[in-house]
Amino acid sequence: AAADETEGWADQAQLGMRPCKMRRLGSNAAWQRFDSRSAAAQAFGLRSIDVADIIRKTGQHAAAFEAEAEKVGRPCEMRRLGGDNTWQRFESRAAAGQAFGLERGTASIIMRGGSIWNQTFEVRDCGVVTRCVYEVRSVGDTATWRQFASRDDAATALGISPPD
C-alpha cells in the first residue's frame, strides 16, 4: 500500500471505523468505497447493522446488496536486535511478522512485551497520522508554523496549559 493509504488505515483503526465497499445487486452498479459501515448504510438508506449482515451474506437485505469489508492494518515498524538494527516500516503487524519469518500474531505479542521474542525483535506502532497534525504559532509571530502530533504536544512546546 502507498504511504498515504497506510496513514489512512491508522486513522480508521484509531477511530474504530470499518471501511467497506458496497453495491446494489442486479443493476451492474459499480462498487462504491466507504470509510465506514455507517457511511455505506446512509448512502443506501440502511442501518450499519444491515451493512454488517450484508458483508456476512445474511439478513433481509443480502439478496438486494453486496458488500465486502476492507482490511484495516495497523502500520508499524519492526527490527531485529543485534547486527542490523534498521527499522523497517510495514502496513500491518501481520506483514511485519511475515517479513521476519514469524508466526501470525507474534508481532503483536512482541509489541505488548513480556515475550521471549522481545530479546530478538522490537516492534513499534507508527500509527501517528501525519496528515492530522496541529499547526501552531504564537500570535504576532511571523515565523514558520510549527507542527505537532497533538494539542497537548503543542501546548507543552509553547509553555501554556493544554486546552480542555
Side-chain angles (χ1 to χ4, degrees):
D4 58 335
E5 289 175 358
T6 303
E7 290 166 1
W9 291 349
D11 246 352
Q12 294 159 353
Q14 289 170 352
L15 297 174
M17 298 171 72
R18 296 181 175 185
C20 65
K21 59 183 182 178
M22 190 166 163
R23 68 180 173 181
R24 190 177 301 274
L25 288 176
S27 62
N28 290 330
W31 285 98
Q32 295 179 52
R33 191 200 176 282
F34 300 95
D35 287 333
S36 67
R37 292 179 184 179
S38 60
Q42 186 176 12
F44 288 98
L46 301 169
R47 300 173 303 155
S48 295
I49 191 70
D50 296 330
V51 174
D53 286 344
I54 294 166
I55 290 170
R56 289 189 300 270
K57 300 180 182 357
T58 63
Q60 65 183 13
H61 300 286
F65 297 95
E66 186 175 14
E68 293 178 3
E70 290 190 357
K71 179 182 175 185
V72 177
R74 290 213 183 262
C76 69
E77 292 180 325
M78 187 169 176
R79 67 180 177 179
R80 185 182 308 271
L81 299 175
D84 181 17
N85 280 343
T86 306
W87 287 100
Q88 296 179 46
R89 187 178 173 106
F90 298 93
E91 68 182 37
S92 68
R93 294 177 190 170
Q98 184 178 10
F100 283 93
L102 301 173
E103 292 181 22
R104 186 170 177 82
T106 304
S108 293
I109 292 169
I110 294 168
M111 188 159 207
R112 287 192 297 268
S115 165
I116 188 81
W117 290 109
N118 289 90
Q119 298 171 7
T120 309
F121 298 101
E122 195 171 14
V123 181
R124 65 183 179 196
D125 262 332
C126 52
V128 175
V129 182
T130 57
R131 62 189 163 100
C132 292
V133 296
Y134 290 85
E135 292 185 331
V136 179
R137 69 177 175 189
S138 298
V139 175
D141 186 0
T142 57
T144 306
W145 288 86
R146 295 171 59 191
Q147 294 185 348
F148 301 92
S150 70
R151 294 187 312 173
D152 291 344
D153 289 349
T156 300
L158 295 174
I160 59 175
S161 298
D164 293 330

